[in-house]
């Protein structure tokens, strides 16, 4: 794992954007794996600005999102579909038909998981997966205890994840209890992974990720076994890490 330490959230977002834009420029047809949450919004903002200023085009980019809540329609302001539209898709020239997010409203949820996993394979796999990390080490919505062999699947969200995400909803009761997420094995098949980490609330997770063993009780630890991971983390997130070569 390569670790890039930056001063703050803004620098993390700028560095991440440079990395993503570099890949888009070098590739004829890039498949980007996208994440939601507070962490990547700065990155998306930088991509939008670059699109307006430098004209970087997304006409040949496919996107595949990590996850979606169960029970929220595409129109729901808290759905990850709406998040992606308002934070990125509506402001760049990506074709909406080339963007993919699991459907949280599918009548047969297992079928939707299978469809999504197959879709990822059929698009040729993910070239660059953007990831954030939950305070408990979750990636996507793969909560502690998720099998490292898991493909796209249905999950019960932990209370700590529901509480962490309640800030986007009017009350915690409105936070869905289930989601569809790419599995750990799905994420690990990505050819490259870019993990973004910012803030003191993630310092414990960063310490566990960099210093503890690989274990299903801390899902992100599997990234240590991936051949091409870059972590861009700010100083606050790295506060507790002992042996970083600074
Ligand atoms: C959410 C998302 C993850 C995200 C994580 C951290 O539950 N499903 O993809 O990485 O939590 O969120 P944040 O970036 O807001 O800290």
């Amino acid at each position: 794992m390569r670790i890039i330490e930056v001063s703050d959230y803004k620098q993390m977002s700028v560095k991440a954007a440079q990395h993503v834009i570099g890949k888009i420029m070098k590739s004829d047809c890039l498949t980007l794996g996208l994440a939601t949450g507070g962490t990547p919004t700065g990155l998306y903002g930088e991509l939008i600005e670059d699109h307006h200023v430098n004209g970087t085009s997304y006409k040949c980019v496919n996107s595949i999102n990590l996850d979606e809540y169960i029970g929220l329609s595409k129109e729901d302001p808290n759905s990850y579909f709406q998040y992606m539209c308002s934070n990125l898709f509506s402001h760049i020239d990506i074709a909406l038909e080339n963007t993919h997010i699991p459907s949280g409203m599918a009548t047969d949820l297992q079928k939707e998981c299978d469809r999504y996993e197959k879709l990822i394979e059929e698009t040729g796999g993910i070239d660059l997966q953007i990831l954030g990390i939950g305070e408990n080490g979750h990636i996507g919505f793969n909560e502690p205890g998720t099998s490292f062999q898991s493909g796209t699947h249905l999950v019960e969200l932990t209370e700590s994840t529901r509480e962490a995400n309640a800030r986007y909803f009017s009350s915690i009761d409105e936070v869905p209890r289930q989601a569809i997420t790419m599995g750990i094995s799905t994420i690990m098949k990505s050819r490259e992974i870019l993990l973004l980490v910012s803030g003191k609330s993630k310092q414990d997770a960063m310490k566990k990720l960099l210093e503890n063993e690989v274990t299903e009780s801390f899902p992100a630890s599997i990234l240590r076994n991936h051949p091409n991971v870059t972590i861009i983390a700010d100083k606050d997130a790295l506060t507790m890490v002992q042996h970083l070569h600074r």
Side-chain angles (χ1 to χ4, degrees), residues 136 138-139 141-146 155-158 160-161 216 219:
N136 62 4
H138 74 245
I139 47 176
F141 268 133
N142 293 284
E143 298 284 16
T146 306
V155 289
E156 303 290 325
L157 300 177
T158 62
S160 70
T161 298
E216 286 180 352

Side-chain angles (χ1 to χ4, degrees), residues 68-69 72-83:
E68 178 60 283
Y69 289 116
L72 301 191
S73 70
K74 279 185 162 186
E75 291 73 35
D76 192 299
N78 284 310
S79 70
Y80 284 163
F81 177 80
Q82 280 300 321
Y83 169 105

